[in-house]
PDB file of all heavy atoms in Angstrom:
ATOM      1  N   VAL A   1      58.257 -37.958  11.914  1.00 97.00           N
ATOM      2  CA  VAL A   1      58.495 -39.348  11.527  1.00 97.00           C
ATOM      3  C   VAL A   1      57.255 -40.158  11.845  1.00 97.00           C
ATOM      4  O   VAL A   1      56.718 -40.084  12.956  1.00 97.00           O
ATOM      5  CB  VAL A   1      59.701 -39.942  12.281  1.00 97.00           C
ATOM      6  CG1 VAL A   1      59.862 -41.428  11.960  1.00 97.00           C
ATOM      7  CG2 VAL A   1      60.976 -39.179  11.942  1.00 97.00           C
ATOM      8  N   ALA A   2      56.788 -40.904  10.871  1.00 97.00           N
ATOM      9  CA  ALA A   2      55.670 -41.819  11.099  1.00 97.00           C
ATOM     10  C   ALA A   2      56.216 -43.226  11.275  1.00 97.00           C
ATOM     11  O   ALA A   2      57.123 -43.642  10.545  1.00 97.00           O
ATOM     12  CB  ALA A   2      54.692 -41.768   9.929  1.00 97.00           C
ATOM     13  N   VAL A   3      55.691 -43.943  12.238  1.00 97.00           N
ATOM     14  CA  VAL A   3      56.087 -45.329  12.482  1.00 97.00           C
ATOM     15  C   VAL A   3      54.848 -46.201  12.354  1.00 97.00           C
ATOM     16  O   VAL A   3      53.842 -45.973  13.034  1.00 97.00           O
ATOM     17  CB  VAL A   3      56.724 -45.517  13.877  1.00 97.00           C
ATOM     18  CG1 VAL A   3      57.082 -46.989  14.103  1.00 97.00           C
ATOM     19  CG2 VAL A   3      57.968 -44.646  14.033  1.00 97.00           C
ATOM     20  N   ILE A   4      54.911 -47.180  11.476  1.00 97.00           N
ATOM     21  CA  ILE A   4      53.786 -48.091  11.253  1.00 97.00           C
ATOM     22  C   ILE A   4      54.109 -49.425  11.899  1.00 97.00           C
ATOM     23  O   ILE A   4      55.072 -50.093  11.529  1.00 97.00           O
ATOM     24  CB  ILE A   4      53.520 -48.286   9.751  1.00 97.00           C
ATOM     25  CG1 ILE A   4      53.202 -46.941   9.094  1.00 97.00           C
ATOM     26  CG2 ILE A   4      52.388 -49.268   9.519  1.00 97.00           C
ATOM     27  CD1 ILE A   4      53.045 -47.018   7.591  1.00 97.00           C
ATOM     28  N   GLY A   5      53.298 -49.794  12.876  1.00 95.00           N
ATOM     29  CA  GLY A   5      53.529 -51.014  13.650  1.00 95.00           C
ATOM     30  C   GLY A   5      53.939 -50.651  15.060  1.00 95.00           C
ATOM     31  O   GLY A   5      54.967 -49.992  15.260  1.00 95.00           O
ATOM     32  N   ALA A   6      53.139 -51.060  16.042  1.00 94.00           N
ATOM     33  CA  ALA A   6      53.409 -50.685  17.434  1.00 94.00           C
ATOM     34  C   ALA A   6      53.842 -51.893  18.261  1.00 94.00           C
ATOM     35  O   ALA A   6      53.613 -51.943  19.464  1.00 94.00           O
ATOM     36  CB  ALA A   6      52.175 -50.030  18.052  1.00 94.00           C
ATOM     37  N   GLY A   7      54.476 -52.870  17.603  1.00 92.00           N
ATOM     38  CA  GLY A   7      55.037 -53.989  18.344  1.00 92.00           C
ATOM     39  C   GLY A   7      56.329 -53.579  19.024  1.00 92.00           C
ATOM     40  O   GLY A   7      56.618 -52.384  19.173  1.00 92.00           O
ATOM     41  N   THR A   8      57.104 -54.556  19.438  1.00 91.00           N
ATOM     42  CA  THR A   8      58.344 -54.280  20.175  1.00 91.00           C
ATOM     43  C   THR A   8      59.269 -53.359  19.401  1.00 91.00           C
ATOM     44  O   THR A   8      59.803 -52.377  19.946  1.00 91.00           O
ATOM     45  CB  THR A   8      59.076 -55.592  20.500  1.00 91.00           C
ATOM     46  OG1 THR A   8      58.210 -56.437  21.262  1.00 91.00           O
ATOM     47  CG2 THR A   8      60.337 -55.324  21.290  1.00 91.00           C
ATOM     48  N   MET A   9      59.486 -53.635  18.111  1.00 94.00           N
ATOM     49  CA  MET A   9      60.395 -52.817  17.326  1.00 94.00           C
ATOM     50  C   MET A   9      59.800 -51.453  17.021  1.00 94.00           C
ATOM     51  O   MET A   9      60.481 -50.428  17.136  1.00 94.00           O
ATOM     52  CB  MET A   9      60.770 -53.527  16.018  1.00 94.00           C
ATOM     53  CG  MET A   9      61.688 -54.726  16.201  1.00 94.00           C
ATOM     54  SD  MET A   9      63.199 -54.360  17.138  1.00 94.00           S
ATOM     55  CE  MET A   9      63.923 -53.070  16.149  1.00 94.00           C
ATOM     56  N   GLY A  10      58.524 -51.414  16.640  1.00 95.00           N
ATOM     57  CA  GLY A  10      57.893 -50.149  16.283  1.00 95.00           C
ATOM     58  C   GLY A  10      57.882 -49.159  17.432  1.00 95.00           C
ATOM     59  O   GLY A  10      58.242 -47.978  17.261  1.00 95.00           O
ATOM     60  N   ILE A  11      57.496 -49.621  18.608  1.00 96.00           N
ATOM     61  CA  ILE A  11      57.434 -48.715  19.753  1.00 96.00           C
ATOM     62  C   ILE A  11      58.828 -48.269  20.163  1.00 96.00           C
ATOM     63  O   ILE A  11      59.045 -47.129  20.597  1.00 96.00           O
ATOM     64  CB  ILE A  11      56.694 -49.376  20.946  1.00 96.00           C
ATOM     65  CG1 ILE A  11      56.208 -48.318  21.944  1.00 96.00           C
ATOM     66  CG2 ILE A  11      57.535 -50.426  21.624  1.00 96.00           C
ATOM     67  CD1 ILE A  11      55.065 -47.474  21.456  1.00 96.00           C
ATOM     68  N   GLY A  12      59.834 -49.165  19.969  1.00 95.00           N
ATOM     69  CA  GLY A  12      61.213 -48.800  20.278  1.00 95.00           C
ATOM     70  C   GLY A  12      61.743 -47.740  19.331  1.00 95.00           C
ATOM     71  O   GLY A  12      62.421 -46.798  19.744  1.00 95.00           O
ATOM     72  N   ILE A  13      61.419 -47.878  18.047  1.00 97.00           N
ATOM     73  CA  ILE A  13      61.842 -46.883  17.052  1.00 97.00           C
ATOM     74  C   ILE A  13      61.162 -45.546  17.315  1.00 97.00           C
ATOM     75  O   ILE A  13      61.787 -44.478  17.201  1.00 97.00           O
ATOM     76  CB  ILE A  13      61.536 -47.390  15.631  1.00 97.00           C
ATOM     77  CG1 ILE A  13      62.385 -48.622  15.303  1.00 97.00           C
ATOM     78  CG2 ILE A  13      61.785 -46.301  14.590  1.00 97.00           C
ATOM     79  CD1 ILE A  13      61.971 -49.360  14.056  1.00 97.00           C
ATOM     80  N   ALA A  14      59.889 -45.592  17.684  1.00 96.00           N
ATOM     81  CA  ALA A  14      59.161 -44.360  18.013  1.00 96.00           C
ATOM     82  C   ALA A  14      59.833 -43.646  19.178  1.00 96.00           C
ATOM     83  O   ALA A  14      59.988 -42.416  19.175  1.00 96.00           O
ATOM     84  CB  ALA A  14      57.709 -44.695  18.345  1.00 96.00           C
ATOM     85  N   GLN A  15      60.270 -44.411  20.174  1.00 96.00           N
ATOM     86  CA  GLN A  15      60.945 -43.815  21.331  1.00 96.00           C
ATOM     87  C   GLN A  15      62.270 -43.179  20.919  1.00 96.00           C
ATOM     88  O   GLN A  15      62.604 -42.080  21.381  1.00 96.00           O
ATOM     89  CB  GLN A  15      61.202 -44.884  22.398  1.00 96.00           C
ATOM     90  CG  GLN A  15      61.911 -44.347  23.644  1.00 96.00           C
ATOM     91  CD  GLN A  15      62.176 -45.430  24.675  1.00 96.00           C
ATOM     92  OE1 GLN A  15      61.425 -46.407  24.792  1.00 96.00           O
ATOM     93  NE2 GLN A  15      63.254 -45.278  25.429  1.00 96.00           N
ATOM     94  N   VAL A  16      63.009 -43.841  20.041  1.00 97.00           N
ATOM     95  CA  VAL A  16      64.298 -43.309  19.571  1.00 97.00           C
ATOM     96  C   VAL A  16      64.087 -41.965  18.870  1.00 97.00           C
ATOM     97  O   VAL A  16      64.799 -40.988  19.135  1.00 97.00           O
ATOM     98  CB  VAL A  16      64.984 -44.314  18.623  1.00 97.00           C
ATOM     99  CG1 VAL A  16      66.170 -43.665  17.915  1.00 97.00           C
ATOM    100  CG2 VAL A  16      65.433 -45.552  19.383  1.00 97.00           C
ATOM    101  N   ALA A  17      63.118 -41.917  17.962  1.00 97.00           N
ATOM    102  CA  ALA A  17      62.868 -40.684  17.205  1.00 97.00           C
ATOM    103  C   ALA A  17      62.379 -39.570  18.117  1.00 97.00           C
ATOM    104  O   ALA A  17      62.804 -38.409  17.991  1.00 97.00           O
ATOM    105  CB  ALA A  17      61.852 -40.953  16.101  1.00 97.00           C
ATOM    106  N   ALA A  18      61.490 -39.916  19.050  1.00 96.00           N
ATOM    107  CA  ALA A  18      60.959 -38.901  19.978  1.00 96.00           C
ATOM    108  C   ALA A  18      62.053 -38.384  20.908  1.00 96.00           C
ATOM    109  O   ALA A  18      62.075 -37.191  21.259  1.00 96.00           O
ATOM    110  CB  ALA A  18      59.805 -39.488  20.785  1.00 96.00           C
ATOM    111  N   SER A  19      62.971 -39.256  21.294  1.00 95.00           N
ATOM    112  CA  SER A  19      64.081 -38.849  22.164  1.00 95.00           C
ATOM    113  C   SER A  19      64.986 -37.842  21.478  1.00 95.00           C
ATOM    114  O   SER A  19      65.669 -37.057  22.135  1.00 95.00           O
ATOM    115  CB  SER A  19      64.891 -40.072  22.601  1.00 95.00           C
ATOM    116  OG  SER A  19      64.111 -40.948  23.384  1.00 95.00           O
ATOM    117  N   ALA A  20      64.986 -37.873  20.141  1.00 95.00           N
ATOM    118  CA  ALA A  20      65.785 -36.913  19.369  1.00 95.00           C
ATOM    119  C   ALA A  20      65.023 -35.613  19.126  1.00 95.00           C
ATOM    120  O   ALA A  20      65.504 -34.731  18.420  1.00 95.00           O
ATOM    121  CB  ALA A  20      66.193 -37.530  18.040  1.00 95.00           C
ATOM    122  N   GLY A  21      63.831 -35.500  19.695  1.00 94.00           N
ATOM    123  CA  GLY A  21      63.044 -34.274  19.587  1.00 94.00           C
ATOM    124  C   GLY A  21      62.152 -34.197  18.373  1.00 94.00           C
ATOM    125  O   GLY A  21      61.570 -33.139  18.090  1.00 94.00           O
ATOM    126  N   LEU A  22      62.016 -35.301  17.635  1.00 96.00           N
ATOM    127  CA  LEU A  22      61.154 -35.295  16.455  1.00 96.00           C
ATOM    128  C   LEU A  22      59.711 -35.596  16.843  1.00 96.00           C
ATOM    129  O   LEU A  22      59.445 -36.309  17.814  1.00 96.00           O
ATOM    130  CB  LEU A  22      61.642 -36.336  15.443  1.00 96.00           C
ATOM    131  CG  LEU A  22      63.074 -36.158  14.912  1.00 96.00           C
ATOM    132  CD1 LEU A  22      63.400 -37.263  13.920  1.00 96.00           C
ATOM    133  CD2 LEU A  22      63.247 -34.795  14.266  1.00 96.00           C
ATOM    134  N   ARG A  23      58.812 -35.061  16.059  1.00 96.00           N
ATOM    135  CA  ARG A  23      57.410 -35.402  16.228  1.00 96.00           C
ATOM    136  C   ARG A  23      57.192 -36.789  15.635  1.00 96.00           C
ATOM    137  O   ARG A  23      57.642 -37.086  14.533  1.00 96.00           O
ATOM    138  CB  ARG A  23      56.530 -34.372  15.516  1.00 96.00           C
ATOM    139  CG  ARG A  23      55.036 -34.650  15.639  1.00 96.00           C
ATOM    140  CD  ARG A  23      54.246 -33.725  14.745  1.00 96.00           C
ATOM    141  NE  ARG A  23      52.827 -34.057  14.761  1.00 96.00           N
ATOM    142  CZ  ARG A  23      51.986 -33.798  13.769  1.00 96.00           C
ATOM    143  NH1 ARG A  23      52.435 -33.213  12.663  1.00 96.00           N
ATOM    144  NH2 ARG A  23      50.723 -34.127  13.863  1.00 96.00           N
ATOM    145  N   VAL A  24      56.486 -37.662  16.361  1.00 97.00           N
ATOM    146  CA  VAL A  24      56.284 -39.041  15.927  1.00 97.00           C
ATOM    147  C   VAL A  24      54.793 -39.335  15.824  1.00 97.00           C
ATOM    148  O   VAL A  24      54.026 -39.088  16.758  1.00 97.00           O
ATOM    149  CB  VAL A  24      56.937 -40.037  16.906  1.00 97.00           C
ATOM    150  CG1 VAL A  24      56.665 -41.472  16.469  1.00 97.00           C
ATOM    151  CG2 VAL A  24      58.438 -39.788  17.016  1.00 97.00           C
ATOM    152  N   LEU A  25      54.402 -39.856  14.667  1.00 97.00           N
ATOM    153  CA  LEU A  25      53.035 -40.329  14.458  1.00 97.00           C
ATOM    154  C   LEU A  25      53.081 -41.851  14.466  1.00 97.00           C
ATOM    155  O   LEU A  25      53.750 -42.467  13.630  1.00 97.00           O
ATOM    156  CB  LEU A  25      52.483 -39.830  13.118  1.00 97.00           C
ATOM    157  CG  LEU A  25      52.437 -38.313  12.929  1.00 97.00           C
ATOM    158  CD1 LEU A  25      52.023 -37.970  11.503  1.00 97.00           C
ATOM    159  CD2 LEU A  25      51.466 -37.688  13.934  1.00 97.00           C
ATOM    160  N   LEU A  26      52.392 -42.481  15.410  1.00 96.00           N
ATOM    161  CA  LEU A  26      52.438 -43.927  15.582  1.00 96.00           C
ATOM    162  C   LEU A  26      51.123 -44.556  15.140  1.00 96.00           C
ATOM    163  O   LEU A  26      50.045 -44.161  15.602  1.00 96.00           O
ATOM    164  CB  LEU A  26      52.723 -44.269  17.046  1.00 96.00           C
ATOM    165  CG  LEU A  26      52.917 -45.741  17.403  1.00 96.00           C
ATOM    166  CD1 LEU A  26      54.117 -46.323  16.668  1.00 96.00           C
ATOM    167  CD2 LEU A  26      53.114 -45.884  18.920  1.00 96.00           C
ATOM    168  N   PHE A  27      51.222 -45.517  14.226  1.00 96.00           N
ATOM    169  CA  PHE A  27      50.004 -46.157  13.701  1.00 96.00           C
ATOM    170  C   PHE A  27      50.123 -47.673  13.745  1.00 96.00           C
ATOM    171  O   PHE A  27      51.193 -48.235  13.482  1.00 96.00           O
ATOM    172  CB  PHE A  27      49.754 -45.725  12.252  1.00 96.00           C
ATOM    173  CG  PHE A  27      48.637 -46.489  11.588  1.00 96.00           C
ATOM    174  CD1 PHE A  27      47.310 -46.225  11.923  1.00 96.00           C
ATOM    175  CD2 PHE A  27      48.912 -47.490  10.664  1.00 96.00           C
ATOM    176  CE1 PHE A  27      46.278 -46.936  11.322  1.00 96.00           C
ATOM    177  CE2 PHE A  27      47.895 -48.207  10.059  1.00 96.00           C
ATOM    178  CZ  PHE A  27      46.562 -47.925  10.387  1.00 96.00           C
ATOM    179  N   ASP A  28      49.025 -48.315  14.087  1.00 94.00           N
ATOM    180  CA  ASP A  28      48.932 -49.770  14.020  1.00 94.00           C
ATOM    181  C   ASP A  28      47.482 -50.104  13.682  1.00 94.00           C
ATOM    182  O   ASP A  28      46.555 -49.459  14.203  1.00 94.00           O
ATOM    183  CB  ASP A  28      49.340 -50.409  15.353  1.00 94.00           C
ATOM    184  CG  ASP A  28      49.621 -51.906  15.224  1.00 94.00           C
ATOM    185  OD1 ASP A  28      48.689 -52.669  14.868  1.00 94.00           O
ATOM    186  OD2 ASP A  28      50.764 -52.320  15.477  1.00 94.00           O
ATOM    187  N   VAL A  29      47.303 -51.085  12.815  1.00 93.00           N
ATOM    188  CA  VAL A  29      45.930 -51.461  12.450  1.00 93.00           C
ATOM    189  C   VAL A  29      45.179 -51.978  13.658  1.00 93.00           C
ATOM    190  O   VAL A  29      43.951 -51.891  13.724  1.00 93.00           O
ATOM    191  CB  VAL A  29      45.918 -52.532  11.336  1.00 93.00           C
ATOM    192  CG1 VAL A  29      46.385 -51.936  10.018  1.00 93.00           C
ATOM    193  CG2 VAL A  29      46.767 -53.744  11.713  1.00 93.00           C
ATOM    194  N   ASN A  30      45.898 -52.515  14.632  1.00 92.00           N
ATOM    195  CA  ASN A  30      45.295 -52.978  15.877  1.00 92.00           C
ATOM    196  C   ASN A  30      45.485 -51.898  16.925  1.00 92.00           C
ATOM    197  O   ASN A  30      46.529 -51.788  17.556  1.00 92.00           O
ATOM    198  CB  ASN A  30      45.944 -54.289  16.319  1.00 92.00           C
ATOM    199  CG  ASN A  30      45.206 -54.941  17.478  1.00 92.00           C
ATOM    200  OD1 ASN A  30      44.660 -54.262  18.349  1.00 92.00           O
ATOM    201  ND2 ASN A  30      45.199 -56.272  17.499  1.00 92.00           N
ATOM    202  N   GLN A  31      44.456 -51.077  17.103  1.00 89.00           N
ATOM    203  CA  GLN A  31      44.556 -49.953  18.028  1.00 89.00           C
ATOM    204  C   GLN A  31      44.740 -50.409  19.472  1.00 89.00           C
ATOM    205  O   GLN A  31      45.344 -49.705  20.287  1.00 89.00           O
ATOM    206  CB  GLN A  31      43.309 -49.079  17.912  1.00 89.00           C
ATOM    207  CG  GLN A  31      43.195 -48.338  16.583  1.00 89.00           C
ATOM    208  CD  GLN A  31      44.195 -47.199  16.463  1.00 89.00           C
ATOM    209  OE1 GLN A  31      44.238 -46.301  17.291  1.00 89.00           O
ATOM    210  NE2 GLN A  31      45.012 -47.235  15.410  1.00 89.00           N
ATOM    211  N   GLU A  32      44.246 -51.599  19.806  1.00 91.00           N
ATOM    212  CA  GLU A  32      44.422 -52.109  21.163  1.00 91.00           C
ATOM    213  C   GLU A  32      45.887 -52.404  21.440  1.00 91.00           C
ATOM    214  O   GLU A  32      46.411 -52.102  22.522  1.00 91.00           O
ATOM    215  CB  GLU A  32      43.585 -53.377  21.349  1.00 91.00           C
ATOM    216  CG  GLU A  32      43.627 -53.920  22.778  1.00 91.00           C
ATOM    217  CD  GLU A  32      42.735 -55.140  22.968  1.00 91.00           C
ATOM    218  OE1 GLU A  32      41.834 -55.365  22.128  1.00 91.00           O
ATOM    219  OE2 GLU A  32      42.954 -55.865  23.960  1.00 91.00           O
ATOM    220  N   VAL A  33      46.566 -52.999  20.453  1.00 91.00           N
ATOM    221  CA  VAL A  33      48.004 -53.256  20.582  1.00 91.00           C
ATOM    222  C   VAL A  33      48.757 -51.945  20.733  1.00 91.00           C
ATOM    223  O   VAL A  33      49.684 -51.821  21.545  1.00 91.00           O
ATOM    224  CB  VAL A  33      48.527 -54.036  19.350  1.00 91.00           C
ATOM    225  CG1 VAL A  33      50.054 -54.045  19.316  1.00 91.00           C
ATOM    226  CG2 VAL A  33      47.989 -55.459  19.359  1.00 91.00           C
ATOM    227  N   LEU A  34      48.357 -50.946  19.953  1.00 93.00           N
ATOM    228  CA  LEU A  34      48.993 -49.640  20.008  1.00 93.00           C
ATOM    229  C   LEU A  34      48.861 -49.020  21.401  1.00 93.00           C
ATOM    230  O   LEU A  34      49.848 -48.545  21.982  1.00 93.00           O
ATOM    231  CB  LEU A  34      48.382 -48.726  18.945  1.00 93.00           C
ATOM    232  CG  LEU A  34      49.120 -47.418  18.623  1.00 93.00           C
ATOM    233  CD1 LEU A  34      48.779 -46.950  17.211  1.00 93.00           C
ATOM    234  CD2 LEU A  34      48.774 -46.330  19.620  1.00 93.00           C
ATOM    235  N   ARG A  35      47.645 -49.021  21.937  1.00 92.00           N
ATOM    236  CA  ARG A  35      47.431 -48.439  23.275  1.00 92.00           C
ATOM    237  C   ARG A  35      48.220 -49.195  24.337  1.00 92.00           C
ATOM    238  O   ARG A  35      48.809 -48.592  25.231  1.00 92.00           O
ATOM    239  CB  ARG A  35      45.941 -48.448  23.609  1.00 92.00           C
ATOM    240  CG  ARG A  35      45.122 -47.391  22.855  1.00 92.00           C
ATOM    241  CD  ARG A  35      43.719 -47.279  23.432  1.00 92.00           C
ATOM    242  NE  ARG A  35      42.958 -48.513  23.219  1.00 92.00           N
ATOM    243  CZ  ARG A  35      42.212 -48.754  22.139  1.00 92.00           C
ATOM    244  NH1 ARG A  35      42.146 -47.843  21.166  1.00 92.00           N
ATOM    245  NH2 ARG A  35      41.546 -49.880  22.024  1.00 92.00           N
ATOM    246  N   HIS A  36      48.234 -50.525  24.216  1.00 93.00           N
ATOM    247  CA  HIS A  36      48.964 -51.340  25.198  1.00 93.00           C
ATOM    248  C   HIS A  36      50.466 -51.042  25.144  1.00 93.00           C
ATOM    249  O   HIS A  36      51.112 -50.898  26.194  1.00 93.00           O
ATOM    250  CB  HIS A  36      48.704 -52.822  24.909  1.00 93.00           C
ATOM    251  CG  HIS A  36      49.471 -53.745  25.805  1.00 93.00           C
ATOM    252  ND1 HIS A  36      49.149 -53.932  27.133  1.00 93.00           N
ATOM    253  CD2 HIS A  36      50.570 -54.536  25.564  1.00 93.00           C
ATOM    254  CE1 HIS A  36      50.005 -54.794  27.680  1.00 93.00           C
ATOM    255  NE2 HIS A  36      50.863 -55.172  26.746  1.00 93.00           N
ATOM    256  N   SER A  37      51.019 -50.930  23.946  1.00 93.00           N
ATOM    257  CA  SER A  37      52.448 -50.657  23.791  1.00 93.00           C
ATOM    258  C   SER A  37      52.809 -49.286  24.344  1.00 93.00           C
ATOM    259  O   SER A  37      53.835 -49.125  25.025  1.00 93.00           O
ATOM    260  CB  SER A  37      52.852 -50.746  22.315  1.00 93.00           C
ATOM    261  OG  SER A  37      52.709 -52.060  21.834  1.00 93.00           O
ATOM    262  N   LEU A  38      51.970 -48.287  24.061  1.00 94.00           N
ATOM    263  CA  LEU A  38      52.217 -46.938  24.587  1.00 94.00           C
ATOM    264  C   LEU A  38      52.162 -46.914  26.104  1.00 94.00           C
ATOM    265  O   LEU A  38      52.991 -46.273  26.769  1.00 94.00           O
ATOM    266  CB  LEU A  38      51.204 -45.953  24.013  1.00 94.00           C
ATOM    267  CG  LEU A  38      51.566 -45.291  22.682  1.00 94.00           C
ATOM    268  CD1 LEU A  38      50.409 -44.424  22.199  1.00 94.00           C
ATOM    269  CD2 LEU A  38      52.833 -44.451  22.815  1.00 94.00           C
ATOM    270  N   THR A  39      51.185 -47.620  26.669  1.00 94.00           N
ATOM    271  CA  THR A  39      51.053 -47.675  28.124  1.00 94.00           C
ATOM    272  C   THR A  39      52.273 -48.335  28.749  1.00 94.00           C
ATOM    273  O   THR A  39      52.828 -47.841  29.742  1.00 94.00           O
ATOM    274  CB  THR A  39      49.778 -48.449  28.522  1.00 94.00           C
ATOM    275  OG1 THR A  39      48.644 -47.788  27.982  1.00 94.00           O
ATOM    276  CG2 THR A  39      49.643 -48.530  30.033  1.00 94.00           C
TER     277      THR A  39
END
């Protein structure tokens, strides 16, 4: 599952999919926002 947007909703959806054992590709045009959300 690919998730585009690493804001509050995007990172939450990525967590839901990963919790189900799926591979998740997370993308955001703002890589700094992406790193901050993951951290």
